[in-house]
Amino acid sequence: MSKIVTMLKKHLIFIVFLSVYAIVNLFFLNIHPGSIYNEPERFGEGISTYGSRDAALYSKMAWQLINEGVYGYEHGPDAQGSNAYVTYGQPFYLTAIFKTAELLNTNHLMLYRLANMFLSLGIAILIYTISYKLFSNRWISNIAAILYMSHIAPLHYFRAALTEIPSMFLLLLSILFFIVALRRKDWKWHVAFGIIASLMLMFRATPAPMLLFGWFIVVARYGWKDGIKTGFIWCIGPLLVMAPWVARNLIQFGEAYLFSSHAGGPLLAGANPFNFQPHSELMAGASEAGMTQEEYAQHLIAEGFSSNFALWFSWFTVGKTFWLFFDQNMNPDGLGPYAQTFTDFWKGFFKWQNILLVFTGLISAFLCRKHKPVVFLSVLILIYIVSSNIFLAIPRYGLLVMPILTIIAAYGLFTFVGFLIGKWRTRQIKETLT
């Protein structure tokens, strides 16, 4: 009993904030504020029910799997039957929840929202845990968790049938298992890491290059011989999780499609500097040129860098990076649906909280680069930004690395406050001596 009391005291600040955050989540779960959920006549029944167009299509796909046994994402007017347009993570996640809801004779909407809510609370716990394992400082852990829990996006997206909450949870769980596996040098933890990381890639494929960086860390710590051995151990995860998906695609479509068959779409959507050109014109251009979307995108990018390097370079670097974290009004993703619901105070709070988080995180990544854990986390964010900027960049996609940013920002804020306190104490000592 005394051990439990001691443990609760150690984590008291976090437990209090997590409890408050759980109550806030229950409030959003109960009343569902926001125009998307309250205006089906404006957005359509599917969007208002599931949270967005993509969420409605994921849900439709899940019901199709349950009722017809057909795996296919409806991505256009001519779409029908099976396809490999999206990876199976989110559709299977929703299918499992919807089928469970049927068996329990309960509301499938409430069940997946509750599942996402618990995952979101789990994200806060993972941020707290990872921060402490990296920095051994509860102030940093608490600040990082609070930065996540005070962001508007998770409160909005845990109610949407989208990949954001599950993919953030799996990414952080992968990082935690990687840290533990690296320190313990235990093959069981490395197997678990490979499985969790592979599951995460079935929800969101963009972080795949992060695995290569993780392997370099293993090689640097263990040496080449053990590093190569660990790499093969990691392969157990893809063999269990991804190989059946690839085999299915080979058998059914004659193509492996390691992730999905629609990479050309996001690539073409991203080949549009600062969105000056309507997307419909890009699609028409590809059709007129007799090219696939991927071929036409590659053509536009090559031609753009050749004819107007400054514009295209700024778009693929600063422009897309900005739009990974902000909309055109510097607002965070997830705030828009509450324009008519929140007071000016709360809209301002969530806007400036996101600005503080992003800029503090990015600046801290640069200024605190001498601290290895910060460097490793910063490289993960850099890898994600670079890989994301190849394709379409929108604020919703930037949310995946937001929890990592909270950890870096928390370390930067703690270091900065410590620096100010040190300066103040030094000044006080000097004044006392004089």
Side-chain angles (χ1 to χ4, degrees):
M1 186 67 181
S2 59
K3 288 183 178 180
I4 296 175
V5 172
T6 303
M7 185 189 71
L8 290 175
K9 286 182 178 178
K10 283 183 179 179
H11 307 292
L12 182 60
I13 295 175
F14 173 69
I15 292 171
V16 169
F17 275 99
L18 184 66
S19 300
V20 172
Y21 188 57
I23 293 171
V24 173
N25 274 261
L26 289 172
F27 171 76
F28 273 78
L29 180 70
N30 184 47
I31 67 169
H32 304 306
S35 56
I36 286 177
Y37 296 104
N38 292 340
E39 299 182 37
E41 69 283 352
R42 177 183 173 190
F43 296 100
E45 194 66 37
I47 292 176
S48 288
T49 301
Y50 296 105
S52 78
R53 175 184 175 275
D54 287 350
L57 291 176
Y58 275 127
S59 301
K60 184 176 181 180
M61 186 178 183
W63 284 121
Q64 181 178 265
L65 270 168
I66 293 172
N67 298 323
E68 302 172 28
V70 177
Y71 184 97
Y73 184 87
E74 184 180 307
H75 58 92
D78 300 323
Q80 57 182 358
S82 297
N83 58 46
Y85 193 75
V86 295
T87 48
Y88 70 80
Q90 183 68 7
F92 276 28
Y93 171 66
L94 291 177
T95 298
I97 292 175
F98 291 177
K99 189 63 179 177
T100 302
E102 280 193 335
L103 294 173
L104 297 177
N105 195 27
T106 190
N107 188 301
H108 74 286
L109 296 176
M110 185 59 70
L111 193 60
Y112 91 72
R113 286 167 178 165
L114 278 172
N116 277 352
M117 188 187 83
F118 282 114
L119 288 181
S120 185
L121 294 173
I123 290 169
I125 295 171
L126 286 170
I127 290 172
Y128 180 84
T129 305
I130 291 169
S131 302
Y132 189 74
K133 283 191 173 294
L134 291 177
F135 303 110
S136 300
N137 187 298
R138 300 205 188 281
W139 283 109
I140 295 174
S141 299
N142 283 314
I143 295 169
I146 290 168
L147 284 173
Y148 171 80
M149 291 186 286
S150 58
H151 200 283
I152 182 60
L155 291 172
H156 174 69
Y157 280 109
F158 89 81
R159 292 170 297 138
L162 290 166
T163 62
E164 271 59 41
I165 297 298
S167 57
M168 279 193 287
F169 178 83
L170 288 170
L171 176 61
L172 287 176
L173 193 62
S174 300
I175 293 173
L176 178 61
F177 271 66
F178 176 80
I179 293 170
V180 175
L182 194 67
R183 292 178 176 177
R184 295 191 180 184
K185 202 177 179 180
D186 187 329
W187 68 271
K188 293 189 292 295
W189 284 92
H190 283 292
V191 170
F193 164 74
I195 293 172
I196 295 167
S198 298
L199 284 171
M200 182 261 297
L201 294 179
M202 288 294 96
F203 278 86
R204 185 72 64 82
T206 319
M210 292 180 181
L211 294 178
L212 184 60
F213 174 64
W215 183 71
F216 282 134
I217 294 176
V218 171
V219 171
R221 189 177 180 100
Y222 293 171
W224 280 104
K225 183 179 179 180
D226 285 346
I228 292 172
K229 186 190 299 182
T230 301
F232 280 111
I233 291 174
W234 286 4
C235 289
I236 295 173
L239 286 173
L240 292 174
V241 175
M242 300 171 69
W245 166 249
V246 172
R248 173 258 186 187
N249 294 334
L250 277 171
I251 294 169
Q252 196 153 2
F253 310 114
E255 295 282 347
Y257 297 134
L258 181 60
F259 295 117
S260 70
S261 62
H262 84 296
L267 188 66
L268 179 60
N272 186 12
F274 300 96
N275 295 337
F276 289 152
Q277 190 175 359
H279 186 67
S280 58
E281 292 183 10
L282 292 176
M283 298 286 287
S287 179
E288 291 172 7
M291 299 179 181
T292 65
Q293 293 183 28
E294 185 172 356
E295 291 169 342
Y296 190 60
Q298 293 170 351
H299 164 73
L300 289 177
I301 293 170
E303 184 181 75
F305 272 96
S306 175
S307 61
N308 196 339
F309 180 84
L311 174 66
W312 283 74
F313 181 77
S314 63
W315 169 236
F316 273 83
T317 53
V318 178
K320 287 190 178 183
T321 300
F322 179 88
W323 280 357
L324 272 177
F325 301 107
F326 307 100
D327 67 12
Q328 295 178 341
N329 297 314
M330 290 289 288
N331 289 320
D333 193 53
L335 182 58
Y338 306 92
Q340 305 301 321
T341 308
F342 286 165
T343 63
D344 289 340
F345 170 81
W346 285 112
K347 285 186 285 188
F349 171 82
F350 286 120
K351 175 177 181 175
W352 286 102
Q353 188 273 358
N354 185 62
I355 292 172
L356 170 71
L357 168 59
V358 174
F359 283 104
T360 302
L362 295 178
I363 293 170
S364 298
F366 176 75
L367 294 179
C368 303
R369 61 190 181 277
K370 291 184 179 180
H371 199 72
K372 282 186 178 180
V374 175
V375 172
F376 295 153
L377 293 176
S378 301
V379 171
L380 291 181
I381 290 177
L382 179 62
I383 290 171
Y384 184 75
I385 289 174
V386 171
S387 58
S388 295
N389 284 4
I390 297 172
F391 304 99
L392 170 67
I394 58 176
R396 182 160 71 85
Y397 296 160
L399 292 176
L400 184 66
V401 291
M402 186 258 285
I404 303 176
L405 264 180
T406 65
I407 298 174
I408 299 174
Y411 179 83
L413 287 170
F414 179 81
T415 303
F416 179 66
V417 171
F419 172 78
L420 292 180
I421 292 174
K423 284 286 187 182
W424 177 78
R425 285 177 177 172
T426 302
R427 183 178 177 181
Q428 291 293 104
I429 293 171
K430 287 181 178 180
E431 289 178 356
T432 301
L433 292 175
T434 55

